[in-house]
Amino acid sequence: MEKQNSRYRWVVFATVLFAYFLIVSQRTAPGLISDQLMKDFSLTASTIGLLTSIQFLAYSGLQVPIGILSDRYGPNLFLIVGALLNGVGTLIYSVAPNEMVLLLARLLVGAGDAAIWVNLVIILSKWFKVREFVGLLGFAGVAGSFGFLLATVPFSAWIAHTGWRPPFFTTGIVLCLSGILLYYVLERKPKQLFKTDAAAPVKQKKQREKTLVILRRIFSNRQAWATFLCHFGLVGTYVGFIGSWAVPYGMHVYNMTRSDASQLIMIGLFGAIVGAPLTSWISSRLDSIKRPYLIVHLFVFLSWVTFLFFSGKPPYLMLVIMFLVIGYGNGASALTFAVVRKSFDMKEVGVVSGFANTGGFLSAVLLPSIFGKVLDHFHTASSSVGYRYGFIIPVLFALIGLIGGIMIKEQRQEAKQASELMV
């Protein structure tokens, strides 16, 4: 309780968000150099897709286990280790001599990334009161969007000036330093300031067994699967495409420079930054999550279908609008966790949120790899033909998200109960 009234909690908040900001930038930054890696290492499009997929595979596969382990050993340890793994993985990536080392580096980055969001949520819930915590999660989402934004024009310009290795090497060093800073801020300093937390770890052993019971219940719950599918359709298609193929798509199909192609990603990010607060506001005005969320899913689905309709090369103005809508959908995916909060007991919200988040990143694992195989298949055809058929993948994935939106059961009654519990 003392922690939640201290000024020091804002130091914790700023430090954790800075680490999250840097880590999120490394989810999509490698997508800026896909074509360079193909030239430098003679890689196929399928291998580039695998490089992205292996990172998100580690992320999605470790989401729920990390949540369980964090309950047992505490979130501080895993957040610190996650930042260090991310930094070490990025450093290895920057000096990689071959594709096997590149794959190992992305695996480490994905494992480190997996430890971030779940533990960020737990740490903020310990340091802030419930009313502050809910609002600050929104700020965390914006920090993530700015992390993605860093990996567009600024990072692209840096790469154009120095080549791709120095920017990744420097970022790796900063990430390692942020891990050391997290250790000081989360572990060393609080032990000096607060000496009343000795009994806290004893209570957490009983909750460990409850988590396994909750997991069994989740896998048989329709509402949990609805949130999983919603995230699969919105987050996975956005992150999977942005993180690997958006820049090469702009360069090959529209003959853009790397910097101009990275601006497409920035357009999507502006949509994402607007999407979370605006859709949440609309949802509260309508007193409904399902209706606005279904509309978002529908528009994102239609945007991907438009790529197919124009054979992979829509008019540029339409392309800008489509990237904006797809980015908006990624921002609006915050409503997935609003559904979770309104539908599940507070003791289950963390685990169900991890399950829903797994859906998004499982999609981000599958999309780049399958997309790359489609491009390889049409390698002898014109580039626009390869992309045209590649866009079938996000269309199908977005359709799965739309089905998830339809599956959602509106639970206004539970919302009142949840708000009473949170007071």
Side-chain angles (χ1 to χ4, degrees):
M1 296 296 288
E2 194 180 346
K3 284 181 176 180
Q4 294 182 349
N5 293 317
S6 70
R7 291 184 180 180
Y8 187 74
R9 72 192 193 281
W10 296 109
V11 176
V12 171
F13 178 67
T15 308
V16 168
L17 250 65
F18 176 68
Y20 181 59
F21 161 77
L22 285 176
I23 286 163
V24 168
S25 74
Q26 292 312 296
R27 289 180 187 170
T28 55
L32 296 172
I33 58 167
S34 295
D35 63 313
Q36 284 183 263
L37 293 179
M38 291 173 81
K39 287 179 186 175
D40 292 354
F41 298 98
S42 300
L43 304 181
T44 64
S46 297
T47 306
I48 292 294
L50 180 62
L51 277 172
T52 302
S53 295
I54 200 167
Q55 176 182 345
F56 293 129
L57 180 63
Y59 184 101
S60 59
L62 291 172
Q63 272 284 284
V64 176
I66 286 288
I68 296 167
L69 288 170
S70 296
D71 282 338
R72 183 175 180 182
Y73 298 108
N76 293 350
L77 170 67
F78 283 92
L79 192 69
I80 293 163
V81 170
L84 290 173
L85 274 177
N86 225 283
V88 170
T90 305
L91 280 172
I92 293 172
Y93 191 78
S94 71
V95 297
N98 56 56
E99 65 215 68
M100 291 306 296
V101 177
L102 286 173
L103 283 166
L104 172 65
R106 297 322 293 172
L107 185 64
L108 286 174
V109 168
D113 197 358
I116 302 306
W117 179 254
V118 172
N119 290 293
L120 180 148
V121 169
I122 297 171
I123 286 168
L124 293 188
S125 69
K126 287 185 174 184
W127 282 90
F128 292 89
K129 296 173 184 175
V130 173
R131 288 179 185 176
E132 290 177 318
F133 166 74
V134 173
L136 292 176
L137 272 185
F139 280 106
V142 172
S145 293
F146 278 110
F148 281 123
L149 200 60
L150 175 66
T152 56
V153 174
F155 216 76
S156 182
W158 192 1
I159 290 167
H161 258 74
T162 64
W164 66 271
R165 291 186 187 271
F168 284 96
F169 184 81
T170 306
T171 305
I173 289 173
V174 176
L175 276 164
C176 289
L177 290 174
S178 76
I180 296 167
L181 179 63
L182 283 169
Y183 171 73
Y184 178 80
V185 170
L186 296 175
E187 287 289 327
R188 288 287 297 274
K189 194 66 177 175
K191 282 178 183 175
Q192 297 170 10
L193 296 175
F194 312 100
K195 299 179 181 178
T196 57
D197 289 341
V202 181
K203 279 189 174 181
Q204 290 179 331
K205 280 197 172 179
K206 290 186 178 178
Q207 285 185 317
R208 199 175 32 166
E209 290 160 300
K210 288 183 181 179
T211 305
L212 297 175
V213 176
I214 292 168
L215 281 173
R216 286 192 210 105
R217 199 157 51 241
I218 288 168
F219 291 126
S220 59
N221 188 294
R222 168 179 164 160
Q223 193 82 326
W225 279 104
T227 60
F228 179 96
L229 296 179
C230 282
H231 238 50
F232 186 96
L234 287 184
V235 176
T237 51
Y238 173 80
V239 174
F241 185 73
I242 291 284
S244 56
W245 296 115
V247 170
Y249 168 72
M251 293 172 70
H252 296 153
V253 177
Y254 289 88
N255 297 315
M256 296 178 178
T257 63
R258 185 182 311 280
S259 181
D260 288 342
S262 67
Q263 287 180 28
L264 292 173
I265 301 176
M266 188 177 285
I267 290 163
L269 286 168
F270 282 131
I273 291 167
V274 172
L278 180 57
T279 314
S280 297
W281 179 79
I282 292 169
S283 176
S284 63
R285 294 286 292 178
L286 295 175
D287 190 27
S288 168
I289 296 173
K290 182 169 182 172
R291 279 182 285 160
Y293 208 18
L294 260 179
I295 291 169
V296 170
H297 275 283
L298 180 61
F299 273 94
V300 169
F301 172 70
L302 291 174
S303 293
W304 288 116
V305 168
T306 305
F307 279 104
L308 286 181
F309 184 79
F310 285 96
S311 301
K313 191 177 181 181
Y316 183 75
L317 181 59
M318 188 174 290
L319 182 74
V320 169
I321 294 168
M322 284 153 54
F323 265 86
L324 198 62
V325 170
I326 291 165
Y328 184 97
N330 182 65
S333 68
L335 286 184
T336 295
F337 302 102
V339 172
V340 171
R341 284 198 298 271
K342 286 193 173 185
S343 305
F344 294 90
D345 187 275
M346 286 301 294
K347 292 175 184 175
E348 301 175 347
V349 165
V351 184
V352 181
S353 295
F355 180 62
N357 211 22
T358 300
F361 286 90
L362 176 63
S363 176
V365 167
L366 297 173
L367 188 142
S369 185
I370 300 172
F371 204 102
K373 287 191 176 183
V374 173
L375 290 182
D376 282 343
H377 182 74
F378 290 96
H379 187 65
T380 54
S382 68
S383 57
S384 61
V385 172
Y387 280 100
R388 175 187 176 181
Y389 287 101
F391 283 121
I392 293 172
I393 312 306
V395 167
L396 292 175
F397 282 22
L399 179 60
I400 290 170
L402 184 59
I403 291 168
I406 294 167
M407 284 173 61
I408 291 171
K409 287 184 177 179
E410 197 80 76
Q411 309 228 356
R412 293 187 185 119
Q413 207 62 32
E414 281 83 349
K416 289 180 182 177
Q417 291 173 4
S419 64
E420 287 170 8
L421 284 169
M422 290 198 292
V423 173

